[in-house]
Amino acid sequence: GSVAEKVDFAGYEHGRVNGCVWNDIDNNGAWDPKETTLSNSLVKIKRIGLGLGEPFEKETMTDEKGCYEFPHLWYGTYLVNEEVGEGWVQTAPDRSQVEFTSTPNNPPFNFKYFAWIWSGRQFGEANFGNYQTPVVLPIDTEAEVDTDDNNQG
């Protein structure tokens, strides 16, 4: 057998993955018309398994419109996930469509997409929903309580 010195992938069109991150204000996991996107959210992509090109991991921030894109992807399987900021909980994507894990740095859930890319494949709408958890103020149990029963001040 001989070894090919040069492989020509004439006609191969790079694929891409894109989506947006939105503020899921009603915490229902669905992107409703009243909900806006979140800029400056960190989204990561990593090629896993077999594929063409060098192994890699990349990350990007969502733009002013709350969207991101990973262009120029070679054939392969990719894992796309979002790093959820402190005080936020990820509500989407739907668990039935993605892998589920829990990590110490991202409790309690971190949902992610698996994207299969081939020539010209556009994996769009890899969207992430986030709910901002309410701030709970501690109750001061040491506070003085007025126990003046005779209303004398």
Side-chain angles (χ1 to χ4, degrees), residues 104-118:
N105 295 331
N106 198 14
F109 305 115
N110 182 19
F111 300 120
K112 46 192 120 185
Y113 289 97
F114 286 98
W116 292 272
I117 300 296
W118 56 86

Side-chain angles (χ1 to χ4, degrees), residues 14-86:
H14 288 96
R16 77 169 187 210
V17 173
N18 65 294
C20 299
V21 178
W22 87 92
N23 183 1
D24 189 7
I25 57 175
D26 57 8
N27 194 22
N28 70 351
W31 193 353
D32 304 315
K34 66 182 182 251
E35 295 172 332
T36 59
T37 56
L38 297 169
S39 59
N40 298 316
S41 295
L42 181 62
V43 181
K44 299 178 181 183
I45 189 168
K46 176 181 182 178
R47 191 174 58 235
I48 57 176
L50 298 175
L52 296 176
E54 295 295 318
F56 77 93
E57 294 183 37
K58 291 185 180 180
E59 57 185 48
T60 190
M61 302 298 284
T62 55
D63 61 20
E64 67 280 352
K65 295 179 182 176
C67 297
Y68 70 93
E69 179 180 48
F70 292 104
H72 311 295
L73 300 176
W74 281 101
Y75 167 85
T77 304
Y78 294 84
L79 176 69
V80 184
N81 68 325
E82 173 205 16
E83 188 170 296
V84 181
E86 187 174 333

Side-chain angles (χ1 to χ4, degrees), residues 87-104:
W88 293 83
V89 175
Q90 193 178 68
T91 61
D94 183 333
R95 282 188 225 192
S96 65
Q97 300 171 355
V98 295
E99 180 174 304
F100 165 78
T101 60
S102 179
T103 64

